[in-house]
Amino acid sequence: MAARRIGILTGGGDVPGLNSVIKSVVYNATEIGCEVIGIRRGWEGLTHMRRAETLSPSGRYDSNYIRPLDRTNTRTIDRTGGTWLHTSRTNPSRMRTKRLPEHLTAEDAARFQTAEDNFDLTPLVLDNIDYLGLDYLVTIGGDDTLSYSKVLDRRGVPLIAIPKTMDNDVQGTEYCIGFSSAVTRGKELINRQRTSLGSHERIGVFRIFGRESGFTALYTAYVTSARCVIPEAPFDLDHLLEILVEDKRLNPSRYAFVIASEGAMWAGGKLEEYGEPDAYGHRRKVDIGFGLAEQIKQRTGEEAINSELTYDLRSGEADSLDQMVAITFANIAVDLIRNDAGAGNMVAIVDGKYAYVDIPEPGNARKVDVSTMYDLDRFRPQYHNRLGKPMMLASRIGDAVLAG
């Protein structure tokens, strides 16, 4: 195989396990004679990097955005969480004036403008990929990062994607890096706070990430034997409150709790959004945890408290399962590059086995199949009829559905 130059980047929210992917790509790729270039701050690295002729003092790469990777500088990065390459929520095809690179001339900006206060910098990204001499690009991200990966794939960039998101909602795969660590951390945090709930005899609401899909809340409820509410199933508020009050009455420690996905909402309610949309059009949702805790207080007279678990779940080092999957995904990606078999594909788990699939189309998040995985009446995961299911319980199709 001829030596190749591989670019690698991480985009969107950070999760545990990203550094294991970066290190494993570097170790495997350099072993077969390839060079690896780290692109910092996600897609921003390919829109904002400066060329050598503009650097002072002159250098080959803009060190703010481009870092050659080797076994020395990646040797210990897998021992910590986050992403050593850093990340951003940059969308090169939808960039506002205030986010344009400072070194972009007015003439070039006009060339990229597609609407008022909107610029598509994809031609610049393609030029920078060519300038860096990249033969392959490895992109690690969730729906947003992968949606732009699809844009580049259609433009002919040899690209392999690796799915990561603690929401576990990327279409085409049963598992995304970060999911196990999020559930593990959620279990630890909730079990730790049981003591405070019991001491004060309160009802707790634990809010967890999951705008469109409820996998993280559902699986955290699974391992803590808890109630949960998820975006796929608008819930009967009065019925939920009845069950929580009954849970508290029957518990010798006199407490109860429910886990709420950030996108969950009771039937007839509406979860408002606020703030400016991010680069992919997402706005922040009003805190369902706070709203639900207030409803518990007002309607039942019980003392209730809201606990925000979101960013704790994505912080810190990866658990063993995430680290194993991250290392394996990385090595499969390099194997595909070595065999010239991977362009336009995403490493995945299908039917419980490592595989690769087409990079998913944007906007088709994977959803919990309520009929097989969630008990609507009891607000909890289904535990029966699991024989024959894959280890993570939901196959790519059947026990999860696509929203389109």
Side-chain angles (χ1 to χ4, degrees):
M1 183 195 84
R4 293 181 170 86
R5 180 174 292 167
I6 301 168
I8 185 169
L9 63 82
T10 55
D14 64 303
V15 298
L18 294 175
N19 288 333
S20 292
V21 179
I22 296 165
K23 175 179 175 177
S24 297
V25 166
V26 171
Y27 271 54
N28 193 345
T30 54
E31 190 173 86
I32 59 176
C34 293
E35 180 184 0
V36 183
I37 302 295
I39 300 162
R40 301 186 71 241
R41 301 173 186 151
W43 295 119
E44 182 181 317
L46 290 173
T47 57
H48 285 58
M49 59 167 276
R50 291 177 177 270
R51 304 285 182 88
E53 59 270 17
T54 68
L55 300 177
S56 182
S58 181
R60 185 181 179 190
Y61 298 125
D62 181 350
S63 61
N64 285 322
Y65 290 107
I66 306 299
R67 296 278 176 88
L69 303 180
D70 56 38
R71 291 182 172 223
T72 299
N73 61 15
T74 62
R75 184 177 66 86
T76 62
I77 65 173
D78 59 328
R79 302 174 194 176
T80 59
T83 166
W84 190 69
L85 289 175
H86 293 201
T87 186
S88 70
R89 295 192 181 276
T90 302
N91 182 352
S93 63
R94 292 176 56 184
M95 191 169 290
R96 295 185 174 184
T97 305
K98 64 182 181 181
R99 290 282 295 117
L100 291 174
E102 291 181 3
H103 59 83
L104 198 66
T105 67
E107 181 180 354
D108 283 336
R111 180 164 59 93
F112 299 137
Q113 189 165 9
T114 57
E116 184 179 355
D117 200 25
N118 192 78
F119 301 81
D120 183 356
L121 269 58
T122 299
L124 179 59
V125 170
L126 295 171
D127 286 346
N128 285 333
I129 290 172
D130 185 62
Y131 171 79
L132 294 171
L134 301 182
D135 299 297
Y136 268 91
L137 186 60
V138 176
T139 61
I140 313 161
D143 284 330
D144 294 336
T145 301
L146 298 183
S147 70
Y148 191 71
S149 297
K150 192 70 174 180
V151 171
L152 293 186
D153 172 49
R154 291 194 178 111
R155 299 293 291 267
V157 175
L159 186 147
I160 298 176
I162 295 178
K164 71 86 200 160
T165 169
M166 61 189 214
D167 294 344
N168 206 39
D169 62 352
V170 171
Q171 173 190 343
T173 182
E174 294 157 19
Y175 190 84
C176 303
I177 296 166
F179 180 59
S180 177
S181 297
V183 173
T184 297
R185 202 139 296 141
K187 174 188 172 185
E188 293 169 351
L189 292 167
I190 288 170
N191 283 343
R192 195 174 299 146
Q193 291 190 43
R194 286 176 188 264
T195 58
S196 181
L197 290 176
S199 296
H200 294 272
E201 299 187 3
R202 291 168 171 161
I203 295 177
V205 181
F206 294 98
R207 179 175 176 261
I208 280 179
F209 276 135
R211 288 178 59 92
E212 309 296 337
S213 302
F215 288 104
T216 311
L218 184 75
Y219 280 62
T220 304
Y222 197 102
V223 298
T224 54
S225 300
R227 312 288 178 185
C228 64
V229 287
I230 58 177
E232 294 88 341
F235 57 94
D236 183 322
L237 179 59
D238 290 329
H239 185 40
L240 174 65
L241 300 191
E242 288 173 4
I243 288 178
L244 290 175
V245 170
E246 182 73 355
D247 284 348
K248 180 183 174 185
R249 184 183 70 81
L250 295 176
N251 186 344
S253 294
R254 295 294 186 268
Y255 74 88
F257 68 91
V258 61
I259 300 169
S261 293
E262 63 176 318
M265 177 47 64
W266 53 84
K270 184 179 179 182
L271 204 59
E272 299 292 341
E273 297 183 339
Y274 65 94
E276 288 189 12
D278 66 16
Y280 292 88
H282 305 311
R283 300 174 68 205
R284 292 184 180 274
K285 288 184 180 293
V286 170
D287 188 344
I288 177 61
F290 175 80
L292 186 52
E294 288 299 304
Q295 290 294 321
I296 292 170
K297 295 173 189 175
Q298 293 172 16
R299 294 179 181 231
T300 70
E302 297 282 356
E303 187 175 358
I305 189 167
N306 169 42
S307 183
E308 178 82 28
L309 301 186
T310 49
Y311 285 96
D312 275 332
L313 304 189
R314 68 160 79 249
S315 303
E317 63 181 345
D319 69 8
S320 296
L321 178 58
D322 260 333
Q323 196 141 8
M324 183 175 71
V325 174
I327 291 168
T328 307
F329 274 2
N331 281 280
I332 291 172
V334 176
D335 287 346
L336 292 172
I337 291 172
R338 179 177 57 194
N339 297 325
D340 277 327
N345 288 306
M346 178 182 75
V347 182
I349 290 181
V350 179
D351 295 329
K353 302 173 184 177
Y354 289 102
Y356 62 92
V357 299
D358 290 343
I359 296 173
E361 295 291 336
N364 284 338
R366 184 167 165 266
K367 300 273 191 175
V368 170
D369 185 349
V370 172
S371 66
T372 62
M373 298 191 71
Y374 184 67
D375 187 329
L376 280 165
D377 184 58
R378 303 304 295 171
F379 307 104
R380 69 187 322 154
Q382 290 194 25
Y383 293 91
H384 60 277
N385 296 329
R386 302 296 93 177
L387 190 63
K389 299 295 183 186
M391 185 183 72
M392 298 305 296
L393 300 176
S395 58
R396 184 173 59 141
I397 56 176
D399 292 299
V401 294
L402 305 182

